[in-house]
Amino acid sequence: MAKEVAKRKIPKFKSEEEEIHFWDTHSLADYWDDTEEVREPIQVSEELRKKIIKRRENKQLLTIRIEKDLIEKAKKVARKKAIGYQTQMRMWIAEGIQREKAN
């Protein structure tokens, strides 16, 4: 029997900065059921557009094979923290690199 995932509601944000921080640390996949289709173009501020571009340019796609059970464990940890599992794995990689640099 498949485990049912609790549906999450997107919170109300007090500022654009708060919303940016939220989506930096959460996965849209966890909130998909709380979204709606938008047919008209969305206008974003120039500042936000620049942040999005900078964030994307700052990352490079990496393909790596990881055992399925490790991915499932990472997803479980990430769900408890309410973040995406790929974000969680990036954090672990960054922490590991910092630890190695300290040695």
Side-chain angles (χ1 to χ4, degrees):
M1 182 187 267
K3 187 191 287 188
E4 192 171 317
V5 177
K7 293 181 182 179
R8 297 181 183 169
K9 293 283 188 186
I10 299 171
K12 300 291 183 204
F13 303 106
K14 295 175 185 155
S15 67
E16 190 175 274
E17 193 66 32
E18 183 181 26
E19 185 171 3
I20 290 168
H21 176 72
F22 179 85
W23 291 117
D24 276 347
T25 57
H26 293 78
S27 171
L28 177 61
D30 295 331
Y31 298 88
W32 195 251
D33 290 335
D34 195 32
T35 62
E36 58 187 55
E37 183 177 352
V38 177
R39 295 190 182 270
E40 66 273 358
I42 298 173
Q43 299 295 322
V44 296
S45 69
E46 185 64 19
E47 179 184 358
L48 178 57
R49 188 184 72 75
K50 286 179 180 178
K51 283 182 180 182
I52 292 168
I53 291 169
K54 183 178 179 183
R55 191 171 135 193
R56 187 169 197 178
E57 289 174 347
N58 198 29
K59 292 181 181 174
Q60 180 176 337
L61 181 63
L62 169 69
T63 303
I64 183 171
R65 294 194 179 276
I66 299 176
E67 290 79 5
K68 290 179 182 180
D69 65 314
L70 290 178
I71 294 171
E72 288 307 313
K73 289 174 184 175
K75 286 180 178 182
K76 195 176 207 179
V77 170
R79 268 193 299 275
K80 288 180 181 178
K81 295 180 176 184
I83 62 174
Y85 80 97
Q86 291 177 343
T87 299
Q88 179 63 64
M89 295 181 94
R90 279 193 303 270
M91 289 167 52
W92 284 335
I93 291 169
E95 289 167 5
I97 290 169
Q98 284 301 107
R99 228 180 1 261
E100 288 296 317
K101 281 176 56 177
N103 292 334

